[in-house]
């Protein structure tokens, strides 16, 4: 990926599914609240991490790799911080 194009693989306007890996502690996580050029803080290292992989969210009724009942940690999400509200609304 050319860094001049953006910080993330996905460059659309909608929310998508992202996979993250902290470069400091190698912690992995996935989020159904991933956005173009926005990161999430690593809970362990407290550094901003950008997704290494992103794709469209699956349609309702399809099995996804994320637990939709799990709350989105707004304090760790760059998009939530920018909006001043939960990004998944």
């Amino acid at each position: 990926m050319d860094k001049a194009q953006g910080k993330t693989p996905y460059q659309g306007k909608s929310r998508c599914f992202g996979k993250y890996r902290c470069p400091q502690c190698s912690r992995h996580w996935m989020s159904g609240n991933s956005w173009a050029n926005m990161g999430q803080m690593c809970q362990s290292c407290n550094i901003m991490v950008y997704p290494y992989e992103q794709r469209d969210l699956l349609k309702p009724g399809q099995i996804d790799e994320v637990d939709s009942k799990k709350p989105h940690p707004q304090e760790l999400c760059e998009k939530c911080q920018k909006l001043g509200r939960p990004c998944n609304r």
Side-chain angles (χ1 to χ4, degrees), residues 25-50:
C25 70
S26 297
R27 182 177 173 272
H28 290 253
W29 70 94
M30 297 176 279
S31 175
N33 297 296
S34 190
W35 299 85
N37 304 317
M38 294 282 168
Q40 295 183 3
M41 297 288 281
C42 174
Q43 289 178 330
S44 302
C45 302
N46 207 31
I47 63 168
M48 189 61 65
V49 178
Y50 293 92

Side-chain angles (χ1 to χ4, degrees), residues 28-78:
H28 290 253
W29 70 94
M30 297 176 279
S31 175
N33 297 296
S34 190
W35 299 85
N37 304 317
M38 294 282 168
Q40 295 183 3
M41 297 288 281
C42 174
Q43 289 178 330
S44 302
C45 302
N46 207 31
I47 63 168
M48 189 61 65
V49 178
Y50 293 92
Y52 64 88
E53 185 180 311
Q54 289 174 305
R55 66 164 168 75
D56 291 339
L57 289 170
L58 295 177
K59 291 180 175 40
Q62 291 180 310
I63 297 172
D64 209 333
E65 301 171 55
V66 185
D67 182 357
S68 60
K69 294 176 184 90
K70 190 175 177 184
H72 175 52
Q74 299 169 43
E75 69 281 0
L76 302 175
C77 176
E78 186 177 9

